[in-house]
Amino acid sequence: MMGAVLVGSGLVGSGPGKGGAALAQSSSPFSGISGWFDGEPGSPLELKFDIEGDDGSLERSIRAASLVQGARAEGRITAQDILAAARGDYARILGTLYDSGYYDAVINITLDGIEAAQIAPLDAPGAVQSVTIAVQPGPQFRFSRADIAPVAPGTELPSDYRQGEPAGTGVMKSAAVAGVDGWRNVGHAKADVASTDIIADHRSDTVDSRVVLAPGPALTFGQLTIRGYERMDPRRLRKMAGFPEGERFDPEKIEDMRKRLRRSGVFSAITITETDGVGPGNTQDVDLLVIEQKTRRIGGGFELSNENGLALTGYWMHRNLLGGGERLRFDAAISDIGAETSGEDYSAGVRLDRPATLHPDVTGYLLFQVARTRDEDYDLDSATVGLGFTYLPSDWLTADIALLYNAQRVNDEGEKTDFRFVSLPMSVTWDRRDDQTDPTRGYWLSGNLTPFLGMDDTDSGARVLGEGRAYFTPGTEGRLTFAGRARLGTILGADLAQTPRDYLFYSGGGGSVRGQPYESLGVEVIRGPEGLIKTGGMSVANMSAEVRYQLREKIGLAVFADWGQVWAEDGFGGDSGSHSGAGIGVRYKTPIGPLRFDLAGPTSGDTGSGVQAYLGLGQAF
């Protein structure tokens, strides 16, 4: 049987063969390690941990569970606060020891040498100068048997729930949860633990663990009940949720419902509950409770460069325009404010999104955009109108396709050209980063294919662009991150002079090669009234490498190097030029992402000189 434990007063584990209890003395010598917690510099309270015979892993778990350590880190160090935390730590530390398989432990928590458990809750001392948390874990128990049955096909049980492994309560709980989840994943919604038989043998330091599961019947999805909506049309809400009525029960499909509704942006809270009991015909009914957000939202952003000046963006959005989750959004942007080499650029657009169009995971949209661009090499006025569909089958995969009509007028150093064309942009993005604004692990892949059909003097062809990003953080502290980016693009089937100017490729600036002026690298192959005209190329390649180091909780440093090359012909052929840049940066963590400040200069090429400065929100990539 499991030995009883009364920590603090000294009675510990009198299981079979132990011959009685051991009295814990705060003055007992310890052969283990000791350490001082330095989480709150300048704090007058000393906190010491003594863990007998530990290699450091157990102490880390105990530190993480300790209420005293948490109170000290937060500056709550009055005697009453510390006493309350210390008395609560007995149970928390005991639970941590049980999770690791230690069932014969002695725990002492002393406040200035007095056992905390012997101090009455209302009799706290006037002040506490030091706290010592001393633990004698005793032997680590191991499984003599680790059985769980019946187990559903395909169930993945914890690898350490087996004979000979440490017999922690945590792994036993994980095995029971995995067993239940295994049955639920194959349609048994009411699966549960029928019984547990766990015996700790203190003579052999082993645990005999047996878990019996009750799968229950296989169920299908029954009825969906919806509550809480105010402005939403319930018929549209059902379509957005995509409830799989009549299909075999699957908890993943319930999670898919939650994700679809969350992505719509209409709701501030979504609660999906499986109803109690089994419905007629072995069905599982589901209850959906939603709380709608305020319908309107406004936002904006900025980026600052010493050469390209200030860029400002803003938007206004209505989340539920017609009661069916329709999102109406107006965007406006002004860039190159105060730029040294170009005029100001303006853009504005309106977009209407409708979720659950054709399929619960498909959002249809209509858009209209106008823009005026005043670059160093050309002026561009454009208008775009079209419709499209976005497919979001998961949190990681996004696919998009649209049919657009584009009208442009370009002024290349006095020579005006009109472009009229219909395009079919298609894109797929696979995002496996751990954080979108400040990634440290994972990767991001994107592929874009845009066939275009030209009218009048505009050529027809296809624009192809691919980009990959990868992030690696070694070790467990997570301070050092290596990040890399590669980008390749080309235009097929069209002549450069008859290709829409905003389809051509440039290099330089914060989005490609930092340290080089924005879009400073192109080609000069189009002949105008006064000679060759500089314009974008038909192919491009960019590479970036960045090393980031988290110096403190909110302050980070970065060093980086970028490279780019542009070709005059498709397939990376013809005349070309390349350039590169490198620099350093500072990152400051905010609730919405790191604030980024970079300084960079050119390291090769003749497209720029001097130092470029960049200020923005979020990592460069």
Side-chain angles (χ1 to χ4, degrees), residues 65-69 84-94 109 133:
S66 171
L67 294 173
V68 174
Q69 177 160 300
R87 291 178 66 90
D89 265 354
Y90 288 109
R92 291 177 66 90
I93 295 172
L94 182 62
I109 303 176
I133 297 177

Side-chain angles (χ1 to χ4, degrees), residues 61-343:
S61 299
I62 292 174
R63 284 178 178 272
S66 171
L67 294 173
V68 174
Q69 177 160 300
R72 184 180 186 275
E74 295 171 6
R76 295 182 289 106
I77 56 173
T78 66
Q80 191 64 54
D81 285 332
I82 296 302
L83 175 60
R87 291 178 66 90
D89 265 354
Y90 288 109
R92 291 177 66 90
I93 295 172
L94 182 62
T96 299
L97 293 167
Y98 276 13
D99 277 346
S100 299
Y102 295 95
Y103 301 108
D104 267 339
V106 176
I107 302 172
N108 291 102
I109 303 176
T110 57
L111 312 185
D112 294 332
I114 302 174
E115 190 73 38
Q118 297 174 357
I119 303 174
L122 299 180
D123 194 22
V128 176
Q129 300 298 322
S130 67
V131 178
T132 299
I133 297 177
V135 178
Q136 291 175 290
Q140 188 178 41
F141 284 53
R142 295 184 176 271
F143 287 113
S144 60
R145 175 164 48 181
D147 287 346
I148 181 170
V151 177
T155 301
E156 295 186 6
L157 295 173
S159 60
D160 46 358
Y161 185 67
R162 56 192 176 94
Q163 185 177 0
E165 293 294 324
T169 56
V171 70
M172 288 185 266
K173 293 175 186 177
S174 297
V177 170
V180 170
D181 288 345
W183 281 111
R184 284 173 54 81
N185 290 338
V186 294
H188 295 254
K190 299 304 181 183
D192 203 351
V193 176
S195 64
T196 58
D197 189 7
I198 301 171
I199 301 174
D201 188 340
H202 289 254
R203 291 169 299 188
S204 60
D205 299 329
T206 59
V207 170
D208 185 312
S209 172
R210 285 173 286 181
V211 180
V212 179
L213 302 177
L219 306 181
T220 58
F221 282 108
Q223 300 295 317
L224 176 67
T225 302
I226 302 177
R227 299 181 293 122
Y229 58 89
E230 297 177 1
R231 292 174 292 271
M232 278 293 302
D233 180 346
R235 182 183 62 86
R236 286 285 301 143
L237 181 52
R238 287 180 180 274
K239 288 187 176 181
M240 291 165 59
F243 180 66
E245 184 175 346
E247 297 183 19
R248 190 190 77 178
F249 174 84
D250 186 346
E252 280 296 318
K253 293 182 179 179
I254 293 180
E255 185 60 28
D256 289 343
M257 289 173 53
R258 182 179 288 107
K259 291 176 181 178
R260 293 185 191 111
L261 295 173
R262 187 180 67 243
R263 285 196 299 256
S264 72
V266 176
F267 310 104
S268 60
I270 302 162
T271 303
I272 303 177
T273 308
E274 300 166 26
T275 60
D276 295 334
V278 176
N282 283 345
T283 57
Q284 174 64 67
D285 295 336
V286 174
D287 180 76
L288 170 62
L289 174 64
V290 296
I291 300 176
E292 298 177 12
Q293 295 200 75
K294 294 181 179 179
T295 56
R296 295 167 180 82
R297 184 177 180 180
I298 190 170
F302 76 95
E303 186 163 345
L304 181 64
S305 168
N306 64 326
E307 182 165 318
N308 301 319
L310 178 66
L312 300 174
T313 61
Y315 70 88
W316 178 91
M317 180 175 65
H318 194 296
R319 290 190 176 96
N320 191 13
L321 185 66
L322 304 175
E326 300 87 357
R327 178 184 298 180
L328 179 66
R329 175 166 170 151
F330 292 91
D331 284 273
I334 305 175
S335 58
D336 291 352
I337 301 173
E340 298 178 0
T341 58
S342 63

Side-chain angles (χ1 to χ4, degrees), residues 300 302 433 435-439 548 550 553-556 586-597 615-621:
F302 76 95
R433 297 172 295 178
D435 188 291
Q436 292 187 349
T437 60
D438 191 13
R548 304 166 186 165
Q550 198 64 33
E553 181 181 357
K554 291 185 177 296
I555 302 294
V586 178
R587 310 288 186 263
Y588 181 79
K589 282 192 175 183
T590 73
I592 56 176
L595 186 64
R596 170 174 50 90
F597 177 69
L615 179 65
L617 190 62
Q619 296 286 2
F621 60 89

Side-chain angles (χ1 to χ4, degrees), residues 368-440:
F368 175 71
Q369 299 171 337
V370 293
R372 167 165 285 192
T373 303
R374 295 295 179 261
D375 279 351
E376 181 181 4
D377 302 323
Y378 66 90
D379 295 340
L380 170 67
D381 296 319
S382 65
T384 302
V385 62
L387 62 91
F389 301 92
T390 302
Y391 178 48
L392 289 157
S394 72
D395 289 339
W396 309 288
L397 179 63
T398 304
D400 191 276
I401 185 170
L403 179 64
L404 307 177
Y405 173 74
N406 306 265
Q408 300 179 354
R409 171 161 290 182
V410 177
N411 187 338
D412 286 310
E413 299 182 5
E415 182 175 342
K416 294 183 179 180
T417 307
D418 290 332
F419 295 94
R420 303 286 186 272
F421 58 100
V422 176
S423 62
L424 188 69
M426 297 172 280
S427 66
V428 176
T429 301
W430 184 253
D431 188 350
R432 298 296 304 205
R433 297 172 295 178
D434 59 347
D435 188 291
Q436 292 187 349
T437 60
D438 191 13
T440 59

